[in-house]
Amino acid sequence: SGIRSFSRARLLPVPLPSSFPAMDASRQPLVGNGGSGGNFPRSESMLTNSSAILIEAEQIRQRYKRLHPKGALDDEKDYKTLVHTLSWERLSAIFKSKFGADGRCRNGPCGLKEQQAARYFEVYGKNQITPPQKQNKWLKLLEQTFCGIFNILLWGCVVAEVLLIVLSSSRSGAAPKKPKTLKLIAPGTASQEAEEDEGEQEADYVTPIILSAVIVMAAMLQWHAEQQAEDQMASLQKMQAASKVPCVRVDNNGQRLDCEVDPANLVPGDIIFLEAGNRIPADVRILYCSDGMEVDNSALTGESMPEPRHTKTEPITCSPTEARNLAFFGTTVLKGNAACIVHATGDSTFLGKIAQGIKSSRVKSTLEYQIEHFIHIIAVVAIIVGALSLVANLMSPIKRSAAEVLQNSAAALFAQVPEGLLPTVTISLMIASEQMAKKYVLVRKIDAVETLGCVSVFCSDKTGTLTKGEMTVQDLAVPLPGGPAEGLKVYNREPGANVFTIKEENMLGDVALCGILNNAANFRIENGAEAFTGSPTEVAILRACVQVHGGPGAVRNTKSKLENDNVFEIPFNSENKWMLTIHGQPSRSHMFAVLKGAPDRVLKFCTVAKDGAAMAQIETTMSDLMAQARRVLCIAKRSLGPSEIPDGAKFEGTGPDDCNFPMKDFEFVGLYGIEDPPKEGVAEAVVKAQKAGVKVVMVTGDHPDTARAIAGRINILKDSYDDEGEQLQGYAEFAVITGAMLESRVPKSDNFTDDEPDELVQWWKKATQHTRVFARVSPIHKQVIVQAYQKYGYGGIGDVCAMTGDGVNDAPALKQAEVGVAMGIRGTEVAKDAADIVLQDDNFASIVDGIEQGRLSSENLQKSIMYTLCSKIPQVAPTFGELFGLPQALTVAQVLLIDIGTDIWTAIAYALQTAESKLMERRPRHPVKEKLVNGKVLLYSYGYIGQLQMLCCWAAFFYAAPGILSLYRSGKSPNDYSKEDELTDTQGMSVYYWTLVLGQIAAAISTTTKMQSVFGCCGVPYGLPNTTLNYMFIGEVVLGIVAIYFGPMQVWFDTASLPLSSILLPIAAFVFICLVEEIRKLICRMCFDDGQSSGVDAGSGGRNKPKVPVAALKLGPWSCFCLWDKPQAS
């Protein structure tokens, strides 16, 4: 049913009390002592308190079923109730709650008995929506440390290293070693050889220790960042705690008990009182309300227009969500006051039903997919390299023990694993989330930042997200001096300044004065700022009129004048659709009336109704305003002469039929054009997103005309052309789609499958390609729209969707999207719980800036991986060089010194890299179409920079290291080396290591950009803006020099002192690699500047054929230097 009135779980576990007769499975209760063999009569004394509670609870549940349609289940997912169709008497009988005769419940005993309320509380529990189950924070830390495919791979490396240490230790015997002392040892001596053996074995401990520390550190950083976000969310929830609710109950003596109840302690049957500004604490049926009562249901429906409420019983055909005698948990009373009976609490409320529907598992982030894909590649590469290294060690002329062969092969395998990836990912996303936090964007799950950078479709709610979420008078239309027959002049708010330009004050004087006097809203000055309260429409008119009239001071002076005193008022109601006020001093026998409301209702009381020319002008102006999605209200005035004022100025009546004063011949004063306007900066943010290749789609519950007008003003709806400037077939048909069009096109199951009808598939493919506005959609439609983009968007491979919203109606779609973005101020707690990101200032433009941060994080992560993989080729090459009789060029210790000592920290520094100049002019990287680690990345690292590094390292090894070339030409086997030959080989290894260090610095500089020149070669220089990365370069150089010249480091890492020439010559490798890379980037820019995109546009659905850049045709084979796609045309 719509209300989960009673939990069956409360019945089942309760054991039968000992006083109950024993029960046999197949018979009636056995006879008691002294029985005659039949069942003894029931005795109330035999029922214990627990049994009585159970029986009463079941009675409550059975009574409560009368509120629901026949056949409704206790755990019904949809909101179903009949409470809006039942009479007062029936409701009173079901809830056992007393009502006042007039429904006001202000006098006499009313509400539930206290004892009954306590019993209901035991049955229904607290009036709270069950929050999503949260994982224990310590278990979460353990999961982030030891789970995940990349963590498992790294921990596997740690375990393997430890096993190698244990294996080496067991083979070396149990004899204790003397502690090593730090002393200088001459290269090539016997003492050095002995120390080398010890040094290698002790150095092996460093790798698993550092690697373990890196894994734990990265996990703790991510855990800490997400815990901070959760703590901020908890603080926001505490700040928004609801206040106590006025309630009436009956005490044990049968007397009336007025009290204030915590909203969490309300139960079905409670009588509560609401007034303007109150947040409704539960789902209620209205027993009494003042005329013109309005509520704001935008949190549930997404529509900003206030909705009227009444007390009449609705027909059974009326949906509960459309019933005007109901008000819902989480909405707000805008105008009027009411007495209500609570009929649903907690999870049984409309809001609770939606909350229960979004407790499904979260969609896996794109980062998780990318890391998993990368690990698969690295695992294959590492295993192949390890196997080849094993074969090379076995076939090497150098005789090694089995343990040494295994250790070298394992080291070659481990060298392929980028140990710095995990902290780089974490730190990069943390930096991005901190940058976003400065703009009041709270990131609850840090990997959502990277996913945000991949977003290709932005589905956004309108009310409160793209628009301000408050009604504003945008236009004031007044008659020209010659009267309305000559036309009306429309005054608009000045763009940017958000105020009316008043050049002719006398033209707007009447419309401003009448709008101030005939107004149910109030304003006051709080802390130097204007504070308005009342219906959104009334507040909008009052705010505009105050500004036009000259400000708060002028308004106070005007209202304080005796001739403007309000002496009588007929409030707005749904029947009249107008509000009337009468002002003046009865003693002066001169008064005037002001009438404001719907134009069709007000104009019939005006003199212009008889003037065809005037009515034509007014109707034309109204049509123009409504075409801009304005809600139009009309205002008129009338003077009341002495003969028209009743005796004693005692005005009476509720409408034209029973008024004791004339309701005709009003003078038309003007029109108000009201709307919920777009937020400042939204139009620019939409353009920025579109330039970045992101499709912005409005998804709203508002009227299609309203949605179309707003979408046109904020650049969501433009001319019917695509990025290539070609006319879109079917654009006009699919530009704006309504909920009615979606009714027959939702999937049969919870999501779209491959078995959907072809007609449905083709329709959705066109919709995801062309549609920019979905209007009059329901909450379930919003979720279906996101699913359709994820299934049929991006040419059939599926878009990466972000969904923004603030209401409960947005929550299912927020959970469905890859990135859910909730509003922090207007957003409901349900929406925030469903979201990955919360905008604390509700600024849509901030999330577009977040796309840039996400892309930057993704770019930096990719560049970090590219840099890390570059050194893998020159690191493994010496292993295979031994097969050709080459002297040993690199040891396992030196490989570890590069990977752990320098590369890992440099890779982490990429997290602080700034963006390239055209980052936001490229199409988003689709995680399926373009992996984070793809063929281009592998080609760049392994087949390009890695090859250049290997070439430079071998060149330096033979020509910069003293004596290596002669040693190689001698043809000696490494087993036959003398001490001088070993020294020569050690110096050669030192040169190879030093060249690789410089080559990695060159690779780091090269990979900081993909196309932009670092040094300004025929373009704007990117430079070296990352100070942290620059420090890492200095650290690499210093560490390399220390490793070569510091005695203990020489022992640990098999290095030897080098002459100055051997240090300076490898610098040429650094220059060579940087120069070649600058040439590649120049060629890349030439291709892209002269040609067209070589890819298929994401929004074209694959319709456009790939085009080859013009310059690439000229360059021929050189076009392979263009490794990345062209930036998208603005």
Side-chain angles (χ1 to χ4, degrees):
S1 67
I3 305 170
R4 184 174 300 167
S5 59
F6 180 73
S7 174
R8 294 182 181 272
R10 297 180 184 271
L11 287 173
L12 299 178
V14 181
L16 291 174
S18 57
S19 61
F20 266 44
M23 295 290 292
D24 182 80
S26 61
R27 293 181 293 168
Q28 296 293 329
L30 302 176
V31 296
N33 293 334
S36 59
N39 295 340
F40 51 50
R42 176 180 178 183
S43 172
E44 293 297 332
S45 62
M46 297 188 63
L47 294 177
T48 63
N49 289 335
S50 60
S51 301
I53 291 172
L54 288 174
I55 292 173
E56 184 173 359
E58 179 62 17
Q59 291 173 344
I60 293 171
R61 190 178 70 84
Q62 293 298 332
R63 285 201 310 271
Y64 213 65
K65 278 190 173 182
R66 301 172 191 170
L67 294 176
H68 311 134
K70 291 183 179 180
L73 304 175
D74 288 343
D75 57 350
E76 186 75 51
K77 293 182 179 179
D78 294 332
Y79 187 75
K80 296 180 180 179
T81 182
L82 299 176
V83 70
H84 58 296
T85 68
L86 303 179
S87 63
W88 288 5
E89 294 77 10
R90 188 76 183 277
L91 289 175
S92 178
I94 291 174
F95 289 109
K96 290 192 174 181
S97 182
K98 291 184 178 181
F99 302 162
D102 57 357
R104 295 173 183 261
C105 300
R106 289 295 184 180
N107 300 302
C110 294
L112 293 171
K113 294 181 180 179
E114 283 196 291
Q115 185 178 5
Q116 186 74 9
R119 186 74 71 236
Y120 280 13
F121 187 81
E122 293 177 4
V123 173
Y124 301 117
K126 285 193 173 185
N127 176 30
Q128 293 176 341
I129 295 175
T130 305
Q133 188 173 1
K134 292 185 178 180
Q135 187 179 16
N136 181 279
K137 62 180 182 180
W138 303 113
L139 289 177
K140 187 175 183 180
L141 175 59
L142 290 175
E143 181 180 314
Q144 290 177 339
T145 305
F146 296 101
C147 298
I149 187 168
F150 192 65
N151 294 54
I152 293 172
L153 179 64
L154 293 180
W155 283 118
C157 293
V158 172
V159 172
E161 287 281 357
V162 172
L163 290 176
L164 286 174
I165 293 172
V166 173
L167 179 62
S168 300
S169 301
S170 63
R171 292 178 63 88
S172 62
K177 291 187 172 77
K178 296 180 181 179
K180 180 185 294 231
T181 58
L182 296 180
K183 56 183 179 181
L184 295 177
I185 301 173
T189 63
S191 298
Q192 185 201 25
E193 293 176 7
E195 290 293 335
E196 283 176 356
D197 292 337
E198 287 187 24
E200 265 194 49
Q201 291 182 12
E202 290 203 13
D204 291 339
Y205 290 95
V206 175
T207 304
I209 292 174
I210 293 182
L211 194 51
S212 300
V214 167
I215 300 170
V216 173
M217 178 188 70
M220 292 191 69
L221 284 173
Q222 180 178 353
W223 176 80
H224 177 66
E226 293 184 358
Q227 284 300 124
Q228 279 188 321
E230 291 299 326
D231 291 343
Q232 290 184 45
M233 282 292 298
S235 300
L236 287 173
Q237 291 172 355
K238 290 179 181 177
M239 291 171 61
Q240 296 177 357
S243 57
K244 292 188 176 182
V245 182
C247 179
V248 60
R249 287 177 178 171
V250 179
D251 63 18
N252 295 331
N253 298 322
Q255 300 299 312
R256 178 187 179 89
L257 179 64
D258 288 296
C259 54
E260 288 191 340
V261 179
D262 190 293
N265 296 329
L266 289 174
V267 296
D270 266 331
I271 303 295
I272 62 173
F273 303 100
L274 301 172
E275 58 185 23
N278 286 164
R279 183 172 177 268
I280 299 172
D283 282 6
V284 298
R285 164 73 185 269
I286 299 172
L287 302 176
Y288 162 80
C289 67
S290 57
D291 288 337
M293 178 185 174
E294 293 178 345
V295 295
D296 177 12
N297 280 350
S298 60
L300 294 175
T301 65
E303 298 187 25
S304 57
M305 295 298 295
E307 297 187 15
R309 285 296 177 262
H310 59 61
T311 61
K312 298 176 182 178
T313 302
E314 298 282 6
I316 198 167
T317 55
C318 178
S319 167
T321 56
E322 299 293 332
R324 294 193 170 183
N325 60 4
L326 298 182
F328 303 102
F329 181 30
T331 61
T332 306
V333 179
L334 297 175
K335 179 182 175 183
N337 54 76
C340 314
I341 180 171
V342 175
H343 73 85
T345 59
D347 291 339
S348 300
T349 61
F350 184 32
L351 188 150
K353 288 295 179 183
I354 298 177
Q356 297 303 310
I358 61 172
K359 290 185 178 179
S360 57
S361 59
R362 161 82 41 201
V363 176
K364 185 182 286 188
S365 71
T366 59
L367 182 61
E368 292 173 292
Y369 282 116
Q370 299 304 304
I371 296 298
E372 186 174 336
H373 175 260
F374 176 53
I375 295 308
H376 290 158
I377 294 176
I378 290 301
V380 172
V381 172
I383 292 172
I384 292 175
V385 170
L388 293 175
S389 177
L390 177 63
V391 173
N393 274 273
L394 293 175
M395 297 176 62
S396 173
I398 301 176
K399 303 303 178 183
R400 293 186 175 94
S401 65
E404 290 175 329
V405 170
L406 185 60
Q407 185 176 3
N408 287 347
S409 302
L413 187 149
F414 301 151
Q416 302 303 312
V417 179
E419 299 88 351
L421 176 63
L422 197 60
T424 302
V425 171
T426 304
I427 294 174
S428 178
L429 297 181
M430 285 183 62
I431 291 171
S433 63
E434 288 176 2
Q435 293 295 326
M436 294 170 72
K438 294 177 181 178
K439 299 179 180 180
Y440 303 100
V441 181
L442 175 63
V443 179
R444 299 186 62 204
K445 191 178 180 185
I446 63 172
D447 60 357
V449 175
E450 192 275 340
T451 307
L452 193 59
C454 299
V455 164
S456 55
V457 169
F458 222 126
C459 296
S460 176
D461 182 43
K462 181 183 74 69
T463 304
T465 306
L466 298 173
T467 63
K468 293 182 177 180
E470 61 181 27
M471 305 307 293
T472 304
V473 174
Q474 295 290 95
D475 314 279
L476 294 173
V478 295
L480 291 173
E486 294 188 5
L488 278 72
K489 185 170 183 179
V490 180
Y491 292 84
N492 310 110
R493 287 187 181 272
E494 185 177 346
N498 201 29
V499 296
F500 287 97
T501 303
I502 307 173
K503 296 180 180 179
E504 305 166 7
E505 294 187 15
N506 59 325
M507 291 283 289
L508 296 178
D510 280 351
V511 76
L513 176 62
C514 292
I516 291 170
L517 298 180
N518 183 290
N519 204 295
N522 297 302
F523 85 98
R524 60 186 181 278
I525 304 298
E526 290 184 355
N527 301 322
E530 299 175 7
F532 294 86
T533 57
S535 164
T537 302
E538 296 289 276
V539 167
I541 293 175
L542 182 59
R543 183 182 281 115
C545 293
V546 167
Q547 185 253 312
V548 171
H549 195 69
V555 171
R556 278 196 298 268
N557 292 335
T558 298
K559 296 186 75 172
S560 64
K561 294 180 180 179
L562 296 178
E563 61 265 28
N564 292 329
D565 277 353
N566 187 334
V567 297
F568 179 73
E569 177 178 320
I570 300 178
F572 177 91
N573 60 64
S574 57
E575 293 183 3
N576 290 336
K577 291 189 176 180
W578 49 255
M579 173 183 178
L580 180 137
T581 55
I582 296 179
H583 308 267
Q585 288 182 279
S587 59
R588 294 188 178 183
S589 300
H590 178 75
M591 310 183 81
F592 66 95
V594 181
L595 183 68
K596 180 188 70 190
D600 60 325
R601 299 296 182 92
V602 172
L603 288 172
K604 69 180 182 180
F605 297 116
C606 298
T607 56
V608 294
K610 303 174 184 178
D611 187 342
M615 286 298 295
Q617 293 289 349
I618 294 172
E619 288 175 357
T620 299
T621 303
M622 288 171 52
S623 298
D624 292 341
L625 293 177
M626 288 187 287
Q628 301 174 56
R630 305 287 201 266
R631 181 190 180 192
V632 180
L633 291 184
C634 178
I635 195 162
K637 67 178 181 178
R638 186 192 194 283
S639 297
L640 297 175
S643 62
E644 298 172 325
I645 300 175
D647 295 340
K650 293 183 179 180
F651 293 92
E652 296 177 350
T654 59
D657 297 332
D658 61 353
C659 288
N660 61 353
F661 55 91
M663 281 283 293
K664 60 181 180 178
D665 298 333
F666 277 81
E667 175 190 353
F668 172 75
V669 173
L671 301 172
Y672 301 104
I674 308 170
E675 72 165 356
D676 178 11
K679 290 182 179 178
E680 294 180 5
V682 166
E684 294 78 8
V686 170
V687 172
K688 184 178 179 181
Q690 290 169 341
K691 285 184 176 181
V694 179
K695 187 187 302 180
V696 182
V697 179
M698 178 189 292
V699 185
T700 178
D702 266 356
H703 192 278
D705 292 341
T706 303
R708 186 189 293 271
I710 296 295
R713 289 168 56 191
I714 60 177
N715 303 311
I716 289 179
L717 275 180
K718 299 186 293 183
D719 294 333
S720 55
Y721 59 84
D722 63 3
D723 295 334
E724 301 294 333
E726 299 174 358
Q727 192 73 20
L728 288 173
Q729 296 180 359
Y731 179 89
E733 177 186 355
F734 285 90
V736 178
I737 287 178
T738 64
M741 299 168 67
L742 298 180
E743 285 295 341
S744 61
R745 295 180 172 94
V746 298
K748 296 178 181 179
S749 59
D750 292 338
N751 205 333
F752 289 97
T753 65
D754 295 334
D755 299 327
E756 301 295 340
D758 185 65
E759 182 182 355
L760 179 69
V761 172
Q762 294 304 319
W763 190 89
W764 273 114
K765 283 185 176 180
K766 289 184 178 180
T768 55
Q769 178 185 351
H770 301 310
T771 304
R772 296 297 183 271
V773 174
F774 291 89
R776 283 292 187 211
V777 295
S778 66
I780 190 62
H781 288 155
K782 293 189 176 186
Q783 189 174 6
V784 169
I785 290 166
V786 174
Q787 291 171 344
Y789 276 107
Q790 293 171 334
K791 178 70 174 178
Y792 303 114
Y794 211 92
I797 61 176
D799 281 298
V800 178
C801 288
M803 174 69 191
T804 65
D806 57 355
V808 176
N809 62 315
D810 301 322
L814 291 175
K815 194 71 175 282
Q816 178 68 41
E818 281 84 358
V819 182
V821 184
M823 302 296 112
I825 299 174
R826 288 176 51 90
T828 61
E829 296 307 316
V830 175
K832 294 174 188 175
D833 283 338
D836 304 291
I837 293 173
V838 177
L839 299 182
Q840 293 177 296
D841 61 351
D842 287 12
N843 189 356
F844 173 82
S846 298
I847 199 63
V848 179
D849 293 335
I851 293 179
E852 184 171 7
Q853 288 290 342
R855 289 193 180 184
L856 179 58
S857 299
S858 181
E859 285 275 301
N860 289 343
L861 180 56
Q862 190 178 58
K863 292 174 181 178
S864 174
I865 293 173
M866 289 161 52
Y867 160 76
T868 304
L869 296 181
C870 285
S871 65
K872 303 309 177 186
I873 294 296
Q875 283 179 359
V876 77
T879 301
F880 302 101
E882 294 179 6
L883 296 177
F884 302 97
L886 299 179
Q888 186 176 4
L890 202 65
T891 66
V892 173
Q894 290 166 355
V895 170
L896 294 176
L897 179 60
I898 292 172
D899 284 349
I900 304 297
T902 57
D903 279 4
I904 188 173
W905 312 113
T906 305
I908 293 173
Y910 272 84
L912 297 165
Q913 201 67 25
T914 57
E916 292 185 56
S917 58
K918 295 186 177 181
L919 178 64
M920 287 297 285
E921 294 179 20
R922 302 176 190 159
R923 290 191 301 271
R925 179 183 59 80
H926 196 284
V928 173
K929 188 177 179 182
E930 184 184 353
K931 304 289 186 183
L932 188 66
V933 179
N934 50 43
K936 295 176 182 179
V937 171
L938 298 178
L939 174 63
Y940 182 92
S941 298
Y942 288 143
Y944 171 47
I945 296 294
Q947 299 296 327
L948 294 179
Q949 286 183 340
M950 183 180 68
L951 177 64
C952 293
C953 287
W954 281 122
F957 180 72
F958 284 110
Y959 297 103
I964 280 291
L965 194 57
S966 300
L967 180 62
Y968 170 64
R969 289 173 177 172
S970 68
K972 288 184 180 181
S973 170
N975 297 319
D976 300 328
Y977 283 171
S978 63
K979 291 183 178 179
E980 289 75 12
D981 293 336
E982 290 178 354
L983 175 60
T984 299
D985 191 16
T986 303
Q987 288 180 320
M989 288 189 291
S990 302
V991 171
Y992 193 102
Y993 161 75
W994 171 244
T995 307
L996 184 52
V997 168
L998 295 178
Q1000 275 297 85
I1001 296 176
I1005 292 175
S1006 299
T1007 53
T1008 53
T1009 65
K1010 291 181 177 180
M1011 290 189 295
Q1012 188 176 355
S1013 172
V1014 176
F1015 302 105
C1017 178
C1018 300
V1020 179
Y1022 177 80
L1024 300 173
N1026 189 346
T1027 305
T1028 304
L1029 186 61
N1030 298 338
Y1031 285 141
M1032 292 299 104
F1033 296 158
I1034 297 173
E1036 287 191 42
V1037 172
V1038 171
L1039 182 61
I1041 295 295
V1042 171
I1044 292 172
Y1045 290 102
F1046 186 49
M1049 295 281 283
Q1050 292 176 339
V1051 174
W1052 295 336
F1053 297 105
D1054 295 319
T1055 58
S1057 300
L1058 297 174
L1060 183 61
S1061 60
S1062 297
I1063 294 294
L1064 297 179
L1065 283 176
I1067 297 177
F1070 168 82
V1071 176
F1072 173 71
I1073 294 173
C1074 290
L1075 179 61
V1076 171
E1077 176 63 3
E1078 285 291 300
I1079 295 173
R1080 183 199 68 80
K1081 291 172 182 175
L1082 176 61
I1083 296 172
C1084 186
R1085 293 195 300 275
M1086 288 170 55
C1087 292
F1088 291 149
D1089 289 342
D1090 294 341
Q1092 301 296 325
S1093 175
S1094 59
V1096 180
D1097 180 43
S1100 66
R1103 178 171 51 82
N1104 298 326
K1105 295 182 179 180
K1107 299 179 181 179
V1108 180
V1110 175
L1113 294 174
K1114 297 177 183 178
L1115 293 167
W1118 289 90
S1119 63
C1120 66
F1121 277 73
C1122 305
L1123 297 179
W1124 280 274
D1125 292 334
K1126 174 195 175 184
Q1128 177 162 301
S1130 301

Short mmCIF file of all heavy atoms in Angstrom, two decimals, residues 303 462 700-708 775-776:
data_model
loop_
_atom_site.label_atom_id
_atom_site.label_comp_id
_atom_site.label_asym_id
_atom_site.label_seq_id
_atom_site.Cartn_x
_atom_site.Cartn_y
_atom_site.Cartn_z
N GLU A 303 8.02 21.67 -10.19
CA GLU A 303 7.35 22.85 -10.72
C GLU A 303 7.35 23.95 -9.66
O GLU A 303 7.00 23.72 -8.50
CB GLU A 303 5.92 22.52 -11.14
CG GLU A 303 5.85 21.48 -12.26
CD GLU A 303 4.44 21.29 -12.78
OE1 GLU A 303 3.63 22.21 -12.65
OE2 GLU A 303 4.16 20.20 -13.30
N LYS A 462 15.15 22.00 -14.29
CA LYS A 462 15.03 23.43 -14.55
C LYS A 462 14.89 24.23 -13.27
O LYS A 462 15.72 25.09 -12.95
CB LYS A 462 13.83 23.71 -15.47
CG LYS A 462 13.65 25.20 -15.79
CD LYS A 462 12.42 25.46 -16.63
CE LYS A 462 11.14 25.34 -15.82
NZ LYS A 462 11.00 26.44 -14.83
N THR A 700 12.36 18.72 -17.17
CA THR A 700 11.55 19.47 -16.21
C THR A 700 10.11 18.97 -16.19
O THR A 700 9.64 18.35 -17.15
CB THR A 700 11.58 20.98 -16.56
OG1 THR A 700 10.76 21.70 -15.65
CG2 THR A 700 11.07 21.22 -17.96
N GLY A 701 9.44 19.28 -15.13
CA GLY A 701 8.01 18.98 -15.03
C GLY A 701 7.15 20.14 -15.47
O GLY A 701 5.92 20.04 -15.46
N ASP A 702 7.76 21.25 -15.88
CA ASP A 702 7.01 22.44 -16.29
C ASP A 702 6.37 22.27 -17.66
O ASP A 702 6.66 21.33 -18.41
CB ASP A 702 7.93 23.66 -16.29
CG ASP A 702 7.85 24.42 -14.97
OD1 ASP A 702 7.05 24.03 -14.13
OD2 ASP A 702 8.61 25.39 -14.80
N HIS A 703 5.54 23.27 -18.00
CA HIS A 703 4.84 23.29 -19.29
C HIS A 703 5.86 23.39 -20.43
O HIS A 703 6.88 24.08 -20.30
CB HIS A 703 3.88 24.48 -19.33
CG HIS A 703 2.92 24.44 -20.46
ND1 HIS A 703 3.26 24.86 -21.74
CD2 HIS A 703 1.63 24.01 -20.54
CE1 HIS A 703 2.22 24.70 -22.55
NE2 HIS A 703 1.21 24.19 -21.85
N PRO A 704 5.60 22.72 -21.57
CA PRO A 704 6.55 22.76 -22.69
C PRO A 704 6.87 24.17 -23.17
O PRO A 704 8.03 24.46 -23.51
CB PRO A 704 5.84 21.95 -23.78
CG PRO A 704 4.92 21.05 -23.05
CD PRO A 704 4.48 21.80 -21.84
N ASP A 705 5.86 25.07 -23.21
CA ASP A 705 6.11 26.43 -23.68
C ASP A 705 7.06 27.16 -22.74
O ASP A 705 7.96 27.90 -23.17
CB ASP A 705 4.79 27.20 -23.81
CG ASP A 705 3.92 26.66 -24.93
OD1 ASP A 705 4.46 25.97 -25.82
OD2 ASP A 705 2.70 26.92 -24.91
N THR A 706 6.84 26.97 -21.43
CA THR A 706 7.73 27.58 -20.45
C THR A 706 9.14 27.04 -20.60
O THR A 706 10.12 27.79 -20.61
CB THR A 706 7.22 27.31 -19.02
OG1 THR A 706 5.88 27.78 -18.89
CG2 THR A 706 8.10 27.98 -17.99
N ALA A 707 9.25 25.72 -20.71
CA ALA A 707 10.57 25.09 -20.84
C ALA A 707 11.27 25.54 -22.11
O ALA A 707 12.47 25.82 -22.11
CB ALA A 707 10.41 23.57 -20.83
N ARG A 708 10.52 25.62 -23.21
CA ARG A 708 11.12 26.03 -24.50
C ARG A 708 11.65 27.46 -24.42
O ARG A 708 12.75 27.75 -24.91
CB ARG A 708 10.07 25.93 -25.60
CG ARG A 708 10.61 26.19 -27.00
CD ARG A 708 9.47 26.28 -28.02
NE ARG A 708 8.79 25.01 -28.17
CZ ARG A 708 9.15 24.08 -29.06
NH1 ARG A 708 10.18 24.30 -29.85
NH2 ARG A 708 8.47 22.96 -29.14
N ALA A 775 9.83 18.05 -21.32
CA ALA A 775 8.92 18.82 -20.46
C ALA A 775 7.75 17.96 -20.01
O ALA A 775 7.42 16.94 -20.63
CB ALA A 775 8.41 20.05 -21.22
N ARG A 776 7.13 18.39 -18.92
CA ARG A 776 5.98 17.68 -18.34
C ARG A 776 6.31 16.21 -18.08
O ARG A 776 5.52 15.33 -18.38
CB ARG A 776 4.77 17.79 -19.26
CG ARG A 776 4.06 19.13 -19.22
CD ARG A 776 3.38 19.35 -17.88
NE ARG A 776 2.54 20.56 -17.88
CZ ARG A 776 2.34 21.30 -16.82
NH1 ARG A 776 2.91 20.98 -15.67
NH2 ARG A 776 1.56 22.35 -16.86
#
